Amino acid sequence: MSSSPEALVTTADDFIAAIQRRRTFAIISHPDAGKTTLTEKLLLFGGAIQLAGTVKARKSSRHATSDWMAIEKNRGISVASSVMQFEYADHVINLLDTPGHQDFSEDTYRVLTAVDSALMVIDGGNGVEAQTIKLLEVCRLRDTPIITFMNKFDRESRDPTELMDEVESVLGIQCAPVTWPIGMGKRFRGVYHLLRDEVLVFAAGEETRDQQLERIAGLDNPELDRRFPEEMPELREQVELLRAASNPFCLEDFLEGQQTPVFFGSAINNFGVRELLGALIDWAPSPRSRPTTGRKVSPEEAAFSGFVFKIQANMDPQHRDRVAFLRVCSGHFQRGMKIRHLRLGRDIQVHNPITFLAQERELVEDAYAGDIIGLHNHGSIQIGDSFSQGEALQFTGIPYFAPELFRRVRLRNPLKAKQLQKGLQQLAEEGATQVFKPLQGGDMILGAVGVLQFDVVAERLKGEYAVEALFDPVTVQTARWIHCEDPKMLAEFTRKHEEQLAEDAGGRLAYLAPSRVNLDLTMERWPQVVFHATREHADT
Ligand SMILES: Nc1nc2c(ncn2[C@@H]2O[C@H](COP(=O)(O)OP(=O)(O)OP(=O)(O)O)[C@@H](O)[C@H]2O)c(=O)[nH]1
């Protein structure tokens, strides 16, 4: 960015420092745990926004700074993930928001491939919820380091020990309490910081970027007894127990994804936010190496490389464009640079890359590993595409999941077939839905992981492409991408099963199974044909 200290990067040391200064993380949670609220507070502390568009307001008239689309306003949920960059304590923070609703989890999974750590928000009243379990599974697959925030302690919450036990047993990750709540609900007094041996006194909404809350040092400080005579005996007892029985924070275990530091607070009251930012900066990793089909790419390599993990169409109705979100994996990206689109084997010059500061866009001048840049996309970029300065690299691990729900698309006005095709192709490219074109017959079939996706597609087709589409049930239960080494065998398989075969938006062959039994039998009959339940860009 033009205004960042990177304008001064001239030496190799500066280059390394620029990388080490970066933190790229995703916020994950079950819907309603407070993810949007916390995102806003992090942005406030980072100085990226001046005033939080409060979630309450979002759900009525205004909308949260991190939410873009009209549909999000209407439904009051975050549909599309967004990317925000801000500086905090001489670090460059890239925060990736994720949609909380389960129907959009595919998008969330892909966002998790682009980060180096994650911040997990848990509603202290509800504990570990379904969506958190799924998300954590993905984080665990990659050993992503996770920081945990137990939110809403200004309300009656579950017992903090019980909450930690639940995280440990349900999510299978060791907890290391870093702060500990003193009371809850109306009697929420603050938190005790176990590593710094100090009490942070709760005051609703008073901690800001420039103003720190009252801190009282030392658990034995008589000032604490004077202020909190009822709470202190119990707190001392709890702390003694915690020191004896809980896991002390271990940086190595955290970085390996084996242990999560746990913080308590209240996002809506700005309470506990500064501690989270501190943990991100002090403990979360700077950009890490990334696997490709051939080798690992280190962030400190001089040559630029990166991959696209998300495409979003019509993010801003005024711009009417599509943006591909690229995570930089190595090198120094500079505006105007020529980079190679490896799937197409074509160089492109990036004149006007964008970054995202809350709702505003500004041009990116420089970017380093960990940064996310937006490339204007006119249809040539797909999710999973890799870019470099020439070396043939293909970053791996960006998944497409086999959809579980299917609908046949019908047009209300048959003259709009062209617009429908264009709309579906673009929505498929950005991962909003999957589109299959059967080898026999003219209708398109949509696939989704969650049923709400169909509503989103219908609304977006109408709003963005002026097409009214109807969705009919279709007897397809699941899909598998087909791979076969032997071209003769593949031809034979295609001939025998033409009725069940379709091409996805990228032209890859998929088997649309009418039932599980049918799928099992077909797989049994064709042992040389591989049926993939997820498709990685790399294996095409
Ligand atoms: N009492 C209390 N309420 C909170 C706190 N943080 C968030 N909330 C409320 O919890 C509700 C959900 O918060 P959001 O920030 O929208 O939650 P989310 O996880 O982003 O939800 P999705 O957008 O559905 O993913 C809102 O009504 C918030 O005002 C908190 O610390 N205390």
Side-chain angles (χ1 to χ4, degrees), residues 29-38 55-56 58-59 67 76-78 98-101 151-155 265-269:
S29 77
H30 192 83
D32 263 7
K35 194 163 48 68
T36 307
T37 310
L38 183 60
V55 178
K56 201 158 166 261
R58 162 171 71 115
K59 283 177 181 168
D67 289 346
I77 53 169
S78 319
T98 53
H101 195 284
N151 191 25
K152 306 193 186 178
F153 261 72
D154 59 316
R155 278 206 202 147
S266 167
I268 207 156
N269 289 300

Side-chain angles (χ1 to χ4, degrees), residues 28 76 102 185 221 252 271 282 297 406 475 482 496 516 528:
I28 56 175
Q102 59 168 356
N221 193 328
E252 210 171 296
F271 188 74
D282 295 340
V297 171
F406 297 84
T475 41
I482 296 301
K496 284 248 166 79
R516 293 262 166 204
Q528 275 113 310

Side-chain angles (χ1 to χ4, degrees), residues 334-521:
Q334 286 167 297
R335 186 151 87 90
M337 196 169 174
K338 217 186 252 174
I339 58 177
R340 180 159 302 165
H341 187 322
L342 291 158
R343 183 173 51 83
L344 302 183
R346 200 163 72 202
D347 285 342
I348 57 167
Q349 195 149 18
V350 190
H351 291 296
N352 49 359
I354 49 182
T355 184
F356 308 95
L357 272 172
Q359 258 183 333
E360 291 143 33
R361 302 162 165 215
E362 53 177 69
L363 288 176
V364 182
E365 294 295 339
D366 298 86
Y368 296 86
D371 288 343
I372 312 296
I373 55 180
L375 306 177
H376 293 283
N377 178 23
H378 305 288
S380 61
I381 304 177
Q382 295 177 3
I383 291 169
D385 278 345
S386 297
F387 289 81
S388 77
Q389 278 185 293
E391 186 183 348
L393 294 168
Q394 173 62 59
F395 289 94
T396 55
I398 304 110
Y400 275 86
F401 293 85
E404 297 289 327
L405 298 160
F406 297 84
R407 297 282 188 278
R408 192 183 298 280
V409 187
R410 189 157 50 88
L411 272 175
R412 218 181 257 285
N413 175 357
L415 293 176
K416 296 257 186 173
K418 256 203 171 136
Q419 280 101 313
L420 174 73
Q421 204 137 17
K422 181 174 166 214
L424 287 181
Q425 180 74 24
Q426 294 194 351
L427 291 172
E429 275 169 22
E430 72 173 83
T433 181
Q434 297 187 39
V435 178
F436 297 94
K437 190 162 182 356
L439 299 189
Q440 287 185 349
D443 287 345
M444 306 272 250
I445 291 176
L446 289 191
V449 178
V451 75
L452 203 54
Q453 263 173 279
F454 294 125
D455 295 357
V456 173
V457 169
E459 281 188 51
R460 290 189 57 182
L461 281 174
K462 202 165 146 195
E464 295 164 25
Y465 303 92
V467 174
E468 274 198 68
L470 302 170
F471 298 147
D472 295 333
V474 57
T475 41
V476 177
Q477 209 167 60
T478 188
R480 292 291 181 271
W481 283 280
I482 296 301
H483 182 79
C484 183
E485 292 289 338
D486 178 357
K488 254 183 153 172
M489 171 87 65
L490 183 61
E492 171 79 3
F493 176 77
T494 308
R495 198 174 54 77
K496 284 248 166 79
H497 293 282
E498 206 170 356
E499 272 173 40
Q500 256 74 55
L501 289 169
E503 281 186 353
D504 73 4
R508 297 161 197 90
L509 195 63
Y511 183 82
L512 304 183
S515 68
R516 293 262 166 204
V517 177
N518 169 286
L519 178 65
D520 290 344
L521 282 174

